[in-house]
Amino acid sequence: MKTSIRQLLESTEFDRQITLQGWVRNKRGNKNVGFLAINDGSSIKSIQVVVEMSTISDELWAKVTVGSCLSILGTLTQSQGSEQAVELQAQTIEVLGEAHPEEYPIQPKAHSFEFLRENAHLRIRTNTFGAVFRVRHALAFAIHQYFNDHGFFYWNSPIITGSDAEGAGEMFRVTTLDMRNLPKNEDGSIDFKQDFFAKSTHLTVSGQLEGELGALGLGLIYTFGPTFRAENSNTSRHLAEFWMIEPEMAFYDAKDNQDLAEDFVKYLFKYVLQKCPDDMKFLDERFQKENQGKKKEEQSEFGLLEKLNFVLDHDFARVTYTEAIDILYNSKANKKKKFKYPVEWGIDLQSEHERYLVEQHFKKPVIVTDYPKEIKAFYMKLNDDGKTVRAMDILVPGIGEMIGGSQREENYDKLLGRMQEMGIDPQELSWYLDTRKFGTAPHSGFGLGFERLVQFVTGMGNIRDVIPFPRTPQNAEF
């Protein structure tokens, strides 16, 4: 079995011969001795390799360039420097893959994130992206572990669907029809009966509706998979392809839902702080340096680690939407017209409003509940007032909303009425309505965008930098 650099850096077994394989991050030296920084992706830290120049030919040394891949046989020794405890004294070097310096774009210098997005196939070899994607892995593992340990079943919802779960209509079509010769009905509309699935189909925007079906048989389920939005938004917060975590729980009311979501978020943050200390320390330092370079009004008052501990150290405040609007309306910020967007009952809270509640008023994460039905989805349970639904959003510092969820409407007639109000064809969701006809039960759930979570935990400013290959308007490279 190969020994990773992470394991070697933690080792105290010196004076033993090992084979090290990895990529050159840096190269320096003189005519007597050379020093290589080698990284294999297992850790943000590289291991130093010391090369006696008398043991290597000039021709071979010339091929050892930044980005090249090496296999090195040598002796693991205590390091003479203060940067790390161990180093490798090289005996033989084999170049597994060359990287010509005049062509290799990732050099040991500062690169803009825009440049690295253009080279997304190579950006993983930088310290920042190595840290981000190791943290992404840790969070994904923690999600599965949390739900497994709490009795949930992993439920695979379909990627291809005939329904629009959100009713937003921003969906990517899936078809095998010939675009140059589309079959038509008599009225001129496309005859989807001749398509592969014999109906109009799309890439899913959510696994929730199918998740509810699973919960109403297995009790506790969660989905974790890719979802798609054909929203033409070219911003730092939007992706056309992203991953969603969506648990659904039978016999959970709105409060149970809130309790689970709070516990879940805290578990994830605690896990990543424990399992990725070196990566998180690096990302915190990067975040603070970047923050200092911003205009004062754009600076975050929290460091990255400070922000995560802020969430961990507080019980989440809980406030109704109506109470939140009153707080915002009567705030000094509103009276001094510091809000860009107006505050009135019925608005969809903007990020500036959400952040004010978290960072200025409550000074802790906030769960806002009982939103107006007009700004929420059809499947949310109607409250007795007839005006609000049992929705909940979890708000955190820096970004505002992180999680959205609700108790679902289990009453057949009320759900049907809401669908008709919102222009959703009940026939297209007859299978969903069936669950309210046959053994309906109270149930709840929530959704957490995985990339939004990774962005919050890593402190990256652009959501395109927390997914390996971002899909955005006008961009589907790699």
Side-chain angles (χ1 to χ4, degrees):
M1 183 178 290
K2 302 292 184 184
T3 304
S4 69
I5 286 176
R6 180 179 59 81
Q7 293 170 316
L8 291 176
L9 291 172
E10 296 170 354
S11 177
T12 56
E13 297 179 46
F14 303 119
D15 302 318
R16 60 189 174 104
Q17 198 172 69
I18 63 154
T19 297
L20 171 68
Q21 294 173 322
W23 294 270
V24 178
R25 285 286 178 85
N26 209 342
K27 174 186 177 180
R28 61 187 176 86
N30 53 46
K31 62 181 181 180
N32 297 317
V33 63
F35 300 95
L36 302 174
I38 304 295
N39 190 281
D40 65 356
S42 62
S43 169
I44 195 162
K45 296 177 179 177
S46 298
I47 191 168
Q48 179 169 274
V49 176
V50 181
V51 184
E52 295 294 336
M53 299 308 292
S54 60
T55 67
I56 187 170
S57 70
D58 291 343
E59 182 183 8
L60 179 57
W61 187 243
K63 293 180 179 179
V64 176
T65 59
V66 171
S68 61
C69 184
L70 309 180
S71 180
I72 305 169
L73 177 66
T75 303
L76 191 69
T77 64
Q78 281 187 288
S79 177
Q80 302 302 308
S82 59
E83 294 295 314
Q84 59 190 35
V86 302
E87 63 186 21
L88 189 69
Q89 300 288 334
Q91 293 167 357
T92 62
I93 295 177
E94 179 186 359
V95 178
L96 301 178
E98 294 183 48
H100 299 290
E102 64 274 10
E103 298 176 8
Y104 183 60
I106 312 298
Q107 292 297 314
K109 63 178 183 178
H111 293 292
S112 72
F113 286 135
E114 190 60 43
F115 173 82
L116 292 171
R117 278 178 221 126
E118 293 169 2
N119 291 276
H121 57 307
L122 298 170
R123 66 179 179 171
I124 187 59
R125 300 191 196 179
T126 66
N127 279 338
T128 297
F129 285 95
V132 167
F133 292 120
R134 280 187 294 271
V135 169
R136 182 182 169 105
H137 159 79
L139 286 167
F141 184 86
I143 287 162
H144 287 294
Q145 184 164 285
Y146 178 87
F147 285 124
N148 181 71
D149 291 350
H150 285 76
F152 282 69
F153 298 101
Y154 182 31
W155 180 256
N156 302 119
S157 55
I159 289 174
I160 298 172
T161 179
S163 67
D164 180 357
E166 300 293 328
E170 296 166 333
M171 305 179 77
F172 292 103
R173 185 174 299 284
V174 175
T175 182
T176 58
L177 293 176
D178 183 352
M179 295 294 103
R180 296 165 298 181
N181 187 26
L182 292 170
K184 300 288 183 71
N185 295 309
E186 289 185 5
D187 62 1
S189 61
I190 298 172
D191 180 10
F192 284 107
K193 288 183 180 178
Q194 296 188 44
D195 206 350
F196 187 89
F197 293 106
K199 64 182 296 186
S200 176
T201 54
H202 306 82
L203 296 178
T204 185
V205 299
S206 169
Q208 181 202 312
L209 302 190
E210 293 87 355
E212 287 185 51
L213 309 187
L216 294 172
L218 290 173
L220 304 174
I221 68 94
Y222 72 103
T223 71
F224 185 6
T227 52
F228 307 85
R229 294 279 170 91
E231 182 180 356
N232 193 17
S233 294
N234 232 327
T235 76
S236 62
R237 297 184 63 181
H238 290 89
L239 290 167
E241 176 185 6
F242 55 98
W243 288 62
M244 284 287 290
I245 305 107
E246 296 176 293
E248 292 291 329
M249 301 78 68
F251 315 117
Y252 270 52
D253 63 16
K255 183 179 182 304
D256 298 326
N257 197 31
Q258 295 160 30
D259 291 343
L260 180 78
E262 178 176 347
D263 188 64
F264 176 57
V265 167
K266 288 183 173 181
Y267 177 91
L268 297 182
F269 290 179
K270 190 177 297 183
Y271 183 92
V272 80
L273 288 173
Q274 290 175 346
K275 300 294 184 181
C276 303
D278 291 337
D279 288 319
M280 292 305 301
K281 180 175 181 290
F282 171 85
L283 290 167
D284 181 52
E285 290 169 353
R286 189 207 68 82
F287 180 83
Q288 294 193 48
K289 185 177 179 181
E290 187 178 81
N291 195 43
Q292 289 167 2
K294 292 180 179 178
K295 296 177 183 176
K296 190 171 183 181
E297 62 271 19
E298 296 176 354
Q299 288 182 355
S300 170
E301 61 179 285
F302 293 95
L304 182 58
L305 297 179
E306 186 182 8
K307 184 174 65 171
L308 298 179
N309 283 308
F310 174 86
V311 175
L312 287 172
D313 293 343
H314 293 91
D315 292 332
F316 293 7
R318 305 195 187 196
V319 59
T320 67
Y321 170 89
T322 300
E323 291 167 339
I325 289 293
D326 287 342
I327 291 167
L328 292 165
Y329 186 79
N330 293 310
S331 68
K332 286 183 181 179
N334 190 49
K335 290 175 180 176
K336 292 182 178 180
K337 302 188 184 303
K338 289 189 174 181
F339 290 136
K340 180 180 177 182
Y341 296 93
V343 177
E344 59 184 28
W345 200 94
I347 65 163
D348 203 351
L349 295 178
Q350 300 296 316
S351 178
E352 62 175 347
H353 304 140
E354 296 168 339
R355 290 185 61 182
Y356 177 86
L357 292 169
V358 172
E359 298 168 20
Q360 303 299 321
H361 185 81
F362 287 103
K363 299 187 185 300
K364 60 174 67 176
V366 179
I367 303 178
V368 179
T369 65
D370 304 299
Y371 282 79
K373 66 177 183 179
E374 285 78 13
I375 61 173
K376 290 297 181 181
F378 74 93
Y379 48 72
M380 297 188 177
K381 185 171 179 63
L382 198 64
N383 282 320
D384 293 339
D385 61 14
K387 298 191 304 179
T388 61
V389 290
R390 292 184 196 174
M392 67 109 179
D393 286 345
I394 291 186
L395 315 181
V396 293
I399 61 169
E401 181 199 344
M402 173 172 279
I403 285 179
S406 72
Q407 185 171 341
R408 315 311 191 188
E409 182 57 76
E410 81 274 13
N411 181 283
Y412 178 88
D413 293 329
K414 289 181 180 179
L415 180 61
L416 179 61
R418 286 286 288 144
M419 291 172 70
Q420 291 170 338
E421 271 180 43
M422 299 181 76
I424 297 169
D425 184 359
Q427 194 59 40
E428 289 206 358
L429 288 176
S430 59
W431 50 271
Y432 185 68
L433 282 165
D434 274 354
T435 60
R436 276 65 173 176
K437 287 168 61 178
F438 309 129
T440 190
H443 60 290
S444 300
F446 61 81
L448 170 59
F450 187 48
E451 281 70 33
R452 182 169 288 194
L453 169 70
V454 179
Q455 188 180 9
F456 182 82
V457 171
T458 60
M460 299 298 284
N462 195 314
I463 201 165
R464 302 175 194 202
D465 295 329
V466 298
I467 190 169
F469 305 105
R471 297 292 180 248
T472 55
Q474 311 295 313
N475 177 45
E477 291 297 317
F478 313 109

